[in-house]
Amino acid sequence: MDLNLSGQVAIITGSSSGIGRACAIALAREGVKVIINYHSDAEGAEAVRQEITQRGGEAISVKADVSKEEDVEDLVESCVQAYGHLDIMVANAGLQADAAFTEMTLEQWNKVINVNLTGQFLCCRAAARIFRKQGVHKHGRAAGKIVCMSSVHDEIAWAGHVNYATAKGGVKMLMESMAQELAQDKIRVNAIAPGAIKTDINKDAWEDEESLEKLLTLIPYGRIGQGEDVAKVCAFLVSDAADYITGATLYVDGGMMLYPGFRDNG
Ligand code: NAD
């Protein structure tokens, strides 16, 4: 399928590693000019930039903390300065700060909410302002496209991770309310909810055989996901092939949402 994304411009937050990195590479492969946002790993961001440019793609990297309003404004501004417009925002940056509920500190709570939820609000708002001003232009049928990186934990409760699950539950409502409000401006807003994808964020769950085996009991499809599994869906969602999709969450989870505990009669 020709996704026809050539010449479009995308910001992918937290793309010096993991799922964001895979999305940046996949979009660049489709001819998208990519802004690789990173928080502190300048080397990682540079490696992604080189991987893209060595394959003939265009990319720059920009440092910004997505939980800081000023940083986000500067991030979007440097994109417009570099490329003149913006077509795609992938609000992907995220982290975990896990603790049992009664042990969780306010700092751990705030850290995750600030990055995983407020960070998405700030990035999506900054992008939507530009999309609205820009309107539908020569690149595609929408004025702009937003993809929020959610999680199966927008639905599945997660003991020991209430800050993370609360943030992702919030992302679901943030995404759906934005989609409802911005559709009249021809701005499409969707979410991808990954299951278990092999990245640094969940290393504990796959780095040794025993942990991986335990994890696989939760995945009917029988394998851990890769960044590319998510990136391919991201490229589809921001293309005109998905022009009639807005307000949707696509679960990319090998069936994790299917209550695998009930597989053998419950
Ligand atoms: P990752 O740790 O490789 O990537 C997260 C990225 O976010 C990192 O590059 C990190 O530097 C960046 N980041 C953290 N705080 C930031 C900040 N304040 N400003 C800018 N960037 C910041 O892990 P990942 O798995 O690739 O995670 C990407 C997204 O996918 C996250 O939102 C995560 O919640 C979500 N997700 C991951 C999985 C999984 O199984 N890996 C499952 C569901 C959802």
Side-chain angles (χ1 to χ4, degrees):
M1 191 193 304
D2 181 9
L3 295 178
N4 203 20
L5 289 167
S6 196
Q8 298 199 29
V9 178
I11 294 175
I12 298 118
T13 67
S15 51
S16 58
S17 65
I19 292 172
R21 172 184 177 278
C23 289
I25 290 169
L27 291 182
R29 203 177 290 138
E30 297 296 331
V32 175
K33 296 168 193 162
V34 163
I35 284 83
I36 303 154
N37 158 249
Y38 67 98
H39 177 252
S40 41
D41 182 10
E43 233 171 75
E46 177 55 19
V48 179
R49 197 191 64 78
Q50 280 185 20
E51 190 166 342
I52 289 172
T53 53
Q54 276 161 13
R55 289 182 194 175
E58 256 189 82
I60 57 170
S61 60
V62 179
K63 182 179 167 75
D65 180 338
V66 296
S67 67
K68 299 205 169 116
E69 188 171 25
E70 213 181 308
D71 278 23
V72 172
E73 296 302 318
D74 289 348
L75 169 66
V76 171
E77 184 51 37
S78 48
C79 161
V80 175
Q81 267 182 17
Y83 295 122
H85 60 108
L86 174 68
D87 306 282
I88 297 160
M89 169 61 77
V90 183
N92 165 78
L95 44 74
Q96 289 181 213
D98 308 329
F101 179 62
T102 49
E103 306 308 315
M104 187 171 284
T105 63
L106 180 59
E107 197 186 351
Q108 286 170 317
W109 171 267
N110 282 339
K111 188 174 181 186
V112 173
I113 298 294
N114 288 346
V115 174
N116 295 15
L117 182 56
T118 309
Q120 292 214 7
F121 159 70
L122 291 172
C123 292
C124 296
R125 187 185 64 172
R129 284 173 174 166
I130 291 185
F131 296 157
R132 189 177 265 171
K133 204 165 4 150
Q134 182 173 274
V136 177
H137 61 129
K138 63 178 178 179
H139 293 300
R141 299 182 70 181
K145 284 91 56 162
I146 291 173
V147 174
C148 297
M149 203 54 70
S150 185
S151 162
V152 290
H153 296 295
D154 71 343
E155 285 284 341
I156 301 176
W158 203 14
H161 309 258
V162 291
N163 47 3
Y164 186 87
T166 303
K168 295 300 187 184
V171 164
K172 181 177 157 63
M173 270 297 131
L174 170 68
M175 180 279 289
E176 290 179 7
S177 303
M178 287 191 296
Q180 194 184 55
E181 189 166 334
L182 299 173
Q184 63 194 354
D185 298 302
K186 290 271 178 282
I187 298 168
R188 294 195 296 108
V189 188
N190 292 290
I192 298 175
I197 310 295
K198 195 173 183 182
T199 71
D200 285 350
I201 210 171
N202 57 0
K203 213 171 182 178
D204 292 355
W206 53 260
E207 66 184 344
D208 61 81
E209 225 165 277
E210 200 184 322
S211 310
L212 180 61
E213 220 167 276
K214 195 169 151 228
L215 176 67
L216 290 178
T217 64
L218 299 175
I219 310 172
Y221 203 57
R223 70 167 172 87
I224 190 166
Q226 302 294 333
E228 293 71 32
D229 290 311
V230 177
K232 285 177 195 157
V233 176
C234 180
F236 162 71
L237 265 183
V238 299
S239 76
D240 281 352
D243 189 53
Y244 208 49
I245 303 180
T246 194
T249 297
L250 295 190
Y251 290 89
V252 181
D253 67 348
M256 199 177 236
M257 290 287 286
L258 301 172
Y259 294 95
F262 283 84
R263 208 164 14 190
D264 300 315
N265 248 342

